[in-house]
Amino acid sequence: MTRVMFDSVARLQTRSAVYPIDYKRRSLLILLTAAALLMMLIMAGWLTNPDALSVQLDQRNLPPSFQHLFGTDWLGRDMFVRVMKGLLLSIQTGLAGAVCSAMIAAVLGIASALFGRQADRIITWLTDLFLSVPHLVALILVAFVCGGGMKGIVIGIALTHWPALARLIRAEAMQLMAAQYVQVSRRLGRSLFWIARRHMLPHLLPQLTVGLILLFPHAILHEAAVTFIGLGLPPHQPAIGIILSESMRYLSSGMWWLAVLPGAALLAAVRAFDVIGSHTKRLLDSQQYERL
């Protein structure tokens, strides 16, 4: 009895040492701060007046001021409105591509564990094939084949960003397939679809959620990169890649705000997604550890 009590106290002390309460509170505070910053950027993109995107030649090339926070461009358009609209468009594009990519990763990762060694070998070979090609190169090729535009970017992100998450889901699904309750379900005649829906998806949902959030920074940056070289969104849309591409022609004349401020806003949005994903993973890991 004394030994059992000693082991319980030691286990509780170990958990508190690994995941102290202050650490979890700090992670939650950082997560909420990043989420608030991200919501401010999204709301700014929704609420800003699109009339500020109209051409006003008498207001062109103005530096940042209280009237124009990010200055104006060579056509007199308010850069703050253009940047916020561009970030909103990039987030929407990244969301569509990341969701499709996470769905592909979930299907392939679970199928690799459910359908035996032959299916596992094929899916593993396919994953290694996509991992052998840099994301940006593959994204450019897919976007070019699909004709560019938002459709090409979304398809490119969906087809190039799933391998790393699929490997993680496959490893977790393999462990679940070896669990006793899954083996009992199979002996009782449950179908593979039933096992995937009732046993695997509830356990894999936290990993999928964190993986989806962490896909956002890559999706947004790659969308901006492909648009920057002219294979992404059309020029008439206020995308961040288009803004940065157009600003390169005016940096030599001293209009630094055309590139610095849109680039800083893009990095802030990407960093906010990265912080949300990493701290969400830490909080989920601490909760999972406390259940042991």
Side-chain angles (χ1 to χ4, degrees):
M1 182 68 178
T2 305
R3 181 61 180 273
V4 173
M5 293 177 61
F6 178 79
D7 292 341
S8 300
V9 173
R11 194 181 303 113
L12 289 175
Q13 290 177 349
T14 302
R15 293 174 186 172
S16 61
V18 176
Y19 294 104
I21 296 177
D22 293 339
Y23 175 83
K24 291 189 290 187
R25 288 178 179 174
R26 185 167 63 252
S27 295
L28 182 60
L29 179 61
I30 295 174
L31 189 151
L32 293 177
T33 303
L37 173 62
L38 192 60
M39 287 303 300
M40 289 174 59
L41 294 176
I42 294 175
M43 294 302 296
W46 273 334
L47 299 178
T48 48
N49 187 6
D51 294 337
L53 297 178
S54 60
V55 176
Q56 298 180 9
L57 297 179
D58 58 332
Q59 300 288 328
R60 61 181 181 176
N61 301 331
L62 296 179
S65 61
F66 290 106
Q67 184 178 2
H68 304 284
L69 296 179
F70 285 8
T72 61
D73 61 4
W74 55 96
L75 293 177
R77 296 171 295 186
D78 190 282
M79 286 298 296
F80 178 78
V81 177
R82 290 195 73 196
V83 170
M84 292 301 107
K85 294 292 185 182
L87 280 179
L88 181 61
L89 184 61
S90 296
I91 290 173
Q92 292 173 347
T93 306
L95 173 64
V99 169
C100 295
S101 186
M103 292 175 61
I104 294 173
V107 171
L108 292 181
I110 294 175
S112 183
L114 283 179
F115 297 113
R117 293 183 178 179
Q118 191 64 29
D120 182 44
R121 290 174 183 171
I122 296 174
I123 294 174
T124 302
W125 174 84
L126 189 63
T127 303
D128 294 336
L129 176 64
F130 275 87
L131 285 175
S132 64
V133 181
H135 284 172
L136 188 57
V137 175
L139 179 55
I140 292 173
L141 292 176
V142 174
F144 178 77
V145 171
C146 296
M150 182 174 290
K151 180 187 71 173
I153 293 294
V154 171
I155 295 176
I157 293 173
L159 294 180
T160 57
H161 287 67
W162 59 267
L165 182 57
R167 275 189 168 182
L168 175 63
I169 298 301
R170 172 189 173 276
E172 295 289 337
M174 288 290 187
Q175 292 182 358
L176 290 174
M177 285 297 293
Q180 290 185 354
Y181 60 91
V182 176
Q183 297 296 327
V184 170
S185 297
R186 297 188 67 179
R187 291 174 183 175
L188 291 176
R190 297 294 187 180
S191 64
L192 295 178
F193 177 77
W194 189 93
I195 292 174
R197 181 170 56 89
R198 298 295 296 272
H199 291 323
M200 290 191 172
L201 283 179
H203 289 277
L204 297 175
L205 191 58
Q207 287 84 353
L208 282 172
T209 302
V210 174
L212 174 62
I213 296 174
L214 291 176
L215 281 176
F216 267 99
H218 299 278
I220 294 174
L221 283 177
H222 288 165
E223 179 271 329
V226 175
T227 305
F228 180 83
I229 62 177
L231 293 176
L233 300 176
H236 66 274
Q237 293 184 337
I240 294 295
I242 296 173
I243 294 174
L244 294 176
S245 177
E246 293 175 345
S247 65
M248 294 296 103
R249 295 174 291 178
Y250 298 90
L251 287 179
S252 59
S253 59
M255 290 186 285
W256 54 269
W257 59 88
L258 298 180
V260 173
L261 297 180
L266 176 63
L267 290 179
V270 169
R271 183 57 181 164
F273 276 115
D274 188 40
V275 169
I276 291 173
S278 59
H279 284 276
T280 301
K281 182 178 182 300
R282 292 179 183 179
L283 291 175
L284 290 175
D285 288 343
S286 65
Q287 293 177 0
Q288 184 178 4
Y289 189 83
E290 290 174 353
R291 296 192 190 102
L292 298 177

